Amino acid sequence: MDEDELLTLFHSPQFDPNVYASSVFGVRKASEVLRLVNEKIRSLDTSIYQHVASHHKELLKKAKDIDQLHDLLQTTESKITNLSQSLTKLKHKVAAPYTSLHTQIEQFRRLQRSCDLLRKISRAALLTKRIQSRLTDLAKSSAYVNELEQLFSSVDWEGIHTLESYKRSVEQSREDMISQSWNLIDTSHELAGQVQLGLGL
């Protein structure tokens, strides 16, 4: 086997060094193969030396270009790092006011809900007081009760002790008003009083 055949064998994708070594020792060709390999290594060394000697200026230029490219890459990497740090700082500068603004908006919304609830509680207290002071005036008391029921339907009153108390008071007032209405109707029938009958209806 000459050097070219040996190189062709080594370049083959199917080359298996273990299988090849076993076959070489099996037929006692180890010394011959080692001689060919050493000769090829020396030949490659000579070729590399000659190539470097004949192209040393070009190779030096490429080496210099590689160094310059390396410096350029380092400079670019440094600029990218600085840009990343600047973006991080900018993000923090933007995020802090945004977080603060978001918190203030949420606080404002809670304040609005609290004020709205307090207005409704105040209105419920006023209407409840008017109902209790004008139970004999069924027309006005009925209007107050209707307004209170609309108010309670627009707010989650359960768990708010003041509103729960007003709710019970309204329900009791409604029952009292119904009882008074029936009493007026009964009285109007007995007295045949048209005015009292109209008031009861």
Side-chain angles (χ1 to χ4, degrees):
M1 178 182 295
D2 58 19
E3 293 182 9
D4 293 336
E5 291 177 345
L6 183 63
L7 287 178
T8 301
L9 178 63
F10 286 168
H11 286 166
S12 174
Q14 290 79 28
F15 177 75
D16 187 333
N18 295 326
V19 174
Y20 181 74
S22 299
S23 65
V24 167
F25 283 105
V27 295
R28 301 181 181 277
K29 294 181 179 179
S31 59
E32 177 66 17
V33 171
L34 289 175
R35 183 186 65 79
L36 291 174
V37 169
N38 288 330
E39 289 180 358
K40 194 59 182 177
I41 290 174
R42 287 193 296 270
S43 175
L44 287 174
D45 286 340
T46 301
S47 297
I48 292 173
Y49 176 80
Q50 291 175 349
H51 179 79
V52 171
S54 60
H55 298 86
H56 69 281
K57 291 183 179 180
E58 181 181 352
L59 292 174
L60 287 175
K61 183 178 182 302
K62 288 184 178 181
K64 184 178 180 181
D65 291 341
I66 291 174
D67 289 338
Q68 292 177 346
L69 179 60
H70 178 70
D71 294 339
L72 178 61
L73 289 175
Q74 284 187 327
T75 302
T76 303
E77 182 179 1
S78 177
K79 290 181 178 180
I80 291 174
T81 301
N82 293 335
L83 178 60
S84 177
Q85 292 175 349
S86 299
L87 289 175
T88 300
K89 292 179 181 179
L90 180 61
K91 181 180 179 181
H92 289 161
K93 289 181 179 179
V94 173
Y98 170 78
T99 302
S100 177
L101 179 61
H102 179 73
T103 301
Q104 292 177 6
I105 290 175
E106 185 61 28
Q107 290 175 346
F108 178 71
R109 288 175 178 171
R110 292 177 181 176
L111 180 61
Q112 279 186 318
R113 290 194 292 267
S114 298
C115 290
D116 183 60
L117 180 59
L118 288 174
R119 283 195 297 269
K120 290 181 178 180
I121 291 175
S122 177
R123 183 61 179 171
L126 177 62
L127 292 173
T128 301
K129 184 177 180 180
R130 288 180 178 178
I131 291 172
Q132 292 173 348
S133 64
R134 298 186 180 182
L135 282 177
T136 55
D137 190 342
L138 293 180
K140 290 185 178 181
S141 295
S142 177
Y144 295 152
V145 168
N146 288 334
E147 184 178 348
L148 269 173
E149 289 183 342
Q150 291 179 359
L151 186 149
F152 279 113
S153 66
S154 66
V155 65
D156 185 11
W157 53 270
E158 294 184 358
I160 303 176
H161 300 306
T162 302
L163 289 179
E164 288 179 342
S165 175
Y166 292 154
K167 180 68 173 176
R168 289 192 296 269
S169 178
V170 169
E171 291 174 351
Q172 183 61 48
S173 297
R174 174 177 283 279
E175 292 179 1
D176 293 342
M177 290 168 57
I178 292 174
S179 178
Q180 289 183 35
S181 297
W182 282 113
N183 288 336
L184 283 174
I185 292 173
D186 291 340
T187 301
S188 66
H189 278 297
E190 293 175 359
L191 301 177
Q194 295 299 321
V195 175
Q196 289 184 335
L197 178 60
L199 182 60
L201 294 174

